[in-house]
Amino acid sequence: MKVTVKQWHPVAQWRWDMGDDHTPDEEGDVCGICRVPYEGCCPACKMPGDDCPLMWGQCTHVFHMHCVLKWTNTAASKGLCPMDRRPWSAVPCLLSSSVAFAEHRSFLVTADRKVAR
Amino acid sequence: MAAISTRRLGKELKEIHSEGCPVGVTLVSADNFECWYFTIQVMGESEYEGEAFMLKFRFEPTYPIASPAVQFVVGNGQEAPVHPHVYSNGHICASILGNEWSPVLGVISICVTLQSMLASCKKKERPTDNERYVKHAPENPKKTRFEYHDDDV
């Protein structure tokens, strides 16, 4: 039997690499500052993904990079993490690895095949 | 572009409508993204049994990076609770509204904090500097630099 695939629709989904030990907290996987999911983008951006990455703190808390920078750039923040009020210090390698991961997104591909007689 | 406050407040309002407010907290009005009103009551035995107080929230376009201006409504039949951290003009001396504000806090968490501030009150009295403060207080409580004396009331 000869099969000719005439058409197929790949469907892909991506997520940030939160690390193996990451468990969603009770609020779900949303940025605590804007309350938009991590895979969404901060209120200032239009497109989720590499242009609106996440930023990890040494304290292990995660926010949209743009959200947490808006906060830490204010005098009122005193440079503290919004969650635990410990000094905010970003983990640079984790930021870049999450961006790198976004380029190696995991694909869930389903093919919709039409079989010719 | 819409202010960041609009999207965040839209989410908070949606959650209030879908999940309801905590016990003792009631939404009075949220007709825009600049000014909301709630009432709070202390549940169970307390100095404020049977009393309800109205809270006014004012939001800047940069909320939640900037803290909201929160005060008790005074006038039109509303009174500020008699409490060592609440001035008779409705201004509140609470660190989370000032130098301990964090953008992960929100309208509901403020209501709950103020509820528990009232619940733990042992003696109903005004702040010692009430008269002096009220006489010269700015209209917006965010313009006051409060000093936070203790954490246990």
Side-chain angles (χ1 to χ4, degrees):
Chain A
M1 188 178 70
K2 200 174 150 193
V3 174
T4 315
V5 177
K6 285 189 161 175
Q7 213 179 16
W8 68 297
H9 304 283
V11 178
Q13 190 185 334
W14 68 275
R15 277 198 287 161
W16 295 111
D17 182 3
M18 305 293 284
D20 295 335
D21 54 348
H22 177 80
T23 45
D25 54 31
E26 72 236 28
E27 302 254 302
D29 275 344
V30 300
C31 168
I33 298 175
C34 65
R35 299 199 184 163
V36 172
Y38 292 136
E39 278 74 27
C41 57
C42 82
C45 288
K46 287 208 168 68
M47 278 290 284
D50 296 353
D51 293 338
C52 190
L54 303 182
M55 187 178 251
W56 269 257
Q58 300 280 3
C59 54
T60 75
H61 292 121
V62 190
F63 304 94
H64 289 128
M65 181 180 81
H66 299 143
C67 293
V68 76
L69 289 181
K70 267 197 200 101
W71 169 244
T72 52
N73 284 340
T74 64
S77 76
K78 299 185 284 279
L80 304 181
C81 169
M83 287 287 184
D84 57 18
R85 298 200 171 97
R86 282 153 64 185
W88 175 260
S89 133
V91 182
C93 59
L94 273 179
L95 173 64
S96 51
S97 83
S98 74
V99 173
F101 182 81
E103 285 156 14
H104 302 279
R105 290 162 187 169
S106 51
F107 287 90
L108 289 173
V109 178
T110 57
D112 173 14
R113 290 178 187 164
K114 286 186 180 160
V115 180
R117 281 174 198 263
Chain B
M1 193 195 72
I4 66 164
S5 61
T6 309
R7 287 179 69 173
R8 164 70 186 260
L9 287 167
K11 281 178 179 289
E12 291 192 54
L13 194 57
K14 203 172 146 199
E15 205 175 300
I16 290 169
H17 284 144
S18 65
E19 287 166 35
C21 290
V23 181
V25 178
T26 315
L27 173 65
V28 176
S29 76
D31 303 331
N32 53 53
F33 295 123
E34 278 125 46
C35 187
W36 291 4
Y37 290 91
F38 285 81
T39 55
I40 60 167
Q41 276 174 286
V42 184
M43 309 314 288
E45 269 181 48
S46 80
E47 294 285 328
Y48 305 94
E49 231 171 309
E51 295 182 77
F53 305 101
M54 192 177 283
L55 280 170
K56 178 186 183 181
F57 288 77
R58 281 179 285 175
F59 308 101
E60 293 166 45
T62 51
Y63 172 85
I65 300 300
S67 64
V70 185
Q71 65 192 98
F72 286 103
V73 175
V74 176
N76 289 328
Q78 299 290 335
E79 289 290 339
V82 179
H83 184 282
H85 290 174
V86 181
Y87 292 93
S88 54
N89 64 353
H91 288 197
I92 307 161
C93 178
S95 56
I96 63 151
L97 301 177
N99 71 358
E100 278 180 29
W101 168 252
S102 155
V104 299
L105 297 172
V107 172
I108 292 298
S109 57
I110 292 171
C111 288
V112 171
T113 304
L114 295 176
Q115 253 183 333
S116 79
M117 177 189 88
L118 296 181
S120 60
C121 176
K122 299 206 169 53
K123 196 175 173 201
K124 277 171 118 170
E125 57 188 9
R126 288 285 178 217
T128 46
D129 60 340
N130 185 62
E131 270 183 43
R132 186 162 48 95
Y133 175 73
V134 171
K135 213 165 152 187
H136 303 286
E139 187 275 325
N140 187 326
K142 277 193 73 177
K143 298 208 169 98
T144 303
R145 277 175 186 271
F146 287 110
E147 281 180 32
Y148 310 103
H149 298 287
D150 58 65
D151 291 318
D152 28 79
V153 183

